[in-house]
Amino acid sequence: MRKKAHIIICILLATNILWAQDTINVLFLGNSYTNVNNLPQLCASLAESSRKVMNTAANTPGGYLLKQHVENTQSINLIRNGKWDYVVLQEQSQLPSIDFYRYEFMHSGYQQLRDSVLLYNPDAQIVGYMTWGRRHGGQQCENYGLGLYCSADFRDFDHMQDSLSSAYNECRELFGGLTAPVGEAWRKVLAESEIVLHSGDDSHPTIEGSYLAACTLHALLWNESPNGLWFPENMSEKTASYLQKIATETVLEPSAISETTDIEDDFEFVHSNGKIIITSKKEINASIFVYDFHGNEIYKTLVKGQNRCEINDYWVNMPVIIRIKDDVTNRESRCKMLFK
């Protein structure tokens, strides 16, 4: 009798585990980039076609910053009242490319939301929803109450995407969690196909752009390929299959991507004896930036043709953030946090 009871308990436990693995609760906090084409519903439809369940909720006011979600009653109530497995954070589309607001607003908004999520949902994972560059790049300027600040004058989509990818990777490195590399999936599609991902405003996504984002999130959250799953009725099977393939490569087969914006592996950092020492496996031809934790630039230097750079540390007992921008390729390192 005991053996039979034990077997029944094991079956029930196995059933519960299987159910838990096939059902997740996901909260989306963002703006119109998430709202257009109803990205949460696209993700839920993909899950359903894979015999899984994704329960979703969202707050996505147009143009919203992560920092505004920190003080938004609806966002905070959603965080507090849900039992979330994942919370997807999508920053305003231009802000991460503007250095001042990237460090002054994006970092603090990301961190504060993460802290709130983990307070009420200690097992939740934060997912940074990496967005995409404007169709033609260009300079991005915004005034969020601290003055008008601008980005570089981006040459094209790729140049702007480098900055956005770097910003989301920084947040992952600083605050933990995951990054959904949607912008990198867009980069690959735009480089090798005629599929239109930008809508007429050169900013928001077409249904193909949103579907690619949903496939990328599906691959990340479920750790499985979206190949062969549901796609919208107004999309051809050929297009859907291609977008599914790109999402799979970007998330599950990163070696298939020919180029990334992450060059951190090229460098080693040491912070000791009054100096920051940066060494490289190859010659450094880059601009090196040092920021305080509030995102204020406190030092900048240009290094050419060297394998080693030493910076005298005048910032006693203060953590600093290092960013390196390769002046040849325009690629950027992830943010590197250094402490005394």
Side-chain angles (χ1 to χ4, degrees), residues 58-321:
N59 189 27
T60 55
Y64 237 53
L65 317 182
L66 292 180
K67 203 165 182 64
Q68 290 175 295
H69 280 290
V70 173
E71 301 174 354
N72 181 279
T73 301
Q74 183 178 346
S75 297
I76 296 305
N77 286 339
L78 284 169
I79 289 172
R80 289 176 177 173
N81 298 331
K83 295 182 179 179
W84 305 112
D85 298 298
Y86 298 96
V87 178
V88 179
L89 303 181
Q90 180 245 311
E91 182 58 278
Q92 194 273 347
S93 59
Q94 297 162 288
L95 187 147
S97 71
I98 303 170
D99 278 353
F100 178 84
Y101 284 116
R102 168 176 171 173
Y103 292 104
E104 191 68 31
F105 277 13
M106 182 181 185
H107 279 193
S108 60
Y110 202 104
Q111 183 178 25
Q112 288 173 297
L113 287 172
R114 179 209 63 179
D115 291 347
S116 294
V117 169
L118 295 182
L119 177 63
Y120 296 99
N121 306 265
D123 296 323
Q125 281 264 43
I126 301 299
V127 180
Y129 173 15
M130 179 195 292
T131 55
W132 49 87
R134 296 293 197 267
R135 190 198 302 257
H136 305 296
Q139 189 172 48
Q140 313 300 313
C141 296
E142 290 288 351
N143 185 347
Y144 293 115
L146 297 182
L148 181 66
Y149 289 88
C150 297
S151 70
D153 188 3
F154 297 116
R155 297 186 305 275
D156 51 23
F157 169 89
D158 280 318
H159 193 195
M160 184 172 178
Q161 189 58 51
D162 288 345
S163 184
L164 295 171
S165 296
S166 175
Y168 278 95
N169 287 333
E170 277 182 1
C171 287
R172 182 192 68 233
E173 291 300 306
L174 280 173
F175 309 120
L178 305 170
T179 298
V182 174
E184 290 300 326
W186 272 53
R187 188 200 297 268
K188 191 167 180 64
V189 169
L190 293 175
E192 63 181 40
S193 82
E194 299 297 321
I195 296 174
V196 178
L197 301 180
H198 293 90
S199 65
D201 65 0
D202 297 331
S203 170
H204 288 83
T206 60
I207 184 60
E208 288 80 7
S210 293
Y211 182 70
L212 178 57
C215 288
T216 304
L217 281 161
H218 183 93
L220 180 71
L221 301 185
W222 297 106
N223 193 33
E224 71 169 22
S225 171
N227 290 347
L229 297 184
W230 169 89
F231 56 91
E233 291 182 1
N234 58 344
M235 185 180 298
S236 72
E237 183 176 357
K238 180 180 178 181
T239 295
S241 295
Y242 174 70
L243 297 177
Q244 292 165 359
K245 170 180 170 289
I246 294 300
T248 299
E249 290 179 356
T250 305
V251 177
L252 302 178
E253 305 169 20
S255 60
I257 302 174
S258 59
E259 183 76 6
T260 71
T261 60
D262 179 9
I263 58 174
E264 169 134 341
D265 291 342
D266 294 340
F267 300 93
E268 292 184 359
F269 302 83
V270 176
H271 192 191
S272 65
N273 298 322
K275 291 183 179 180
I276 297 171
I277 303 171
I278 303 172
T279 56
S280 175
K281 302 170 185 176
K282 58 184 181 181
E283 283 191 353
I284 302 174
N285 292 283
S287 298
I288 299 176
F289 303 85
V290 181
Y291 302 88
D292 64 22
F293 194 66
H294 299 290
N296 301 308
E297 183 181 307
I298 53 180
Y299 185 81
K300 175 183 177 181
T301 187
L302 179 63
V303 179
K304 288 189 175 182
Q306 301 177 38
N307 296 86
R308 177 185 175 93
C309 172
E310 292 188 4
I311 302 172
N312 289 325
D313 180 3
Y314 303 106
W315 312 287
V316 180
N317 296 323
M318 184 175 78
V320 294
I321 300 169

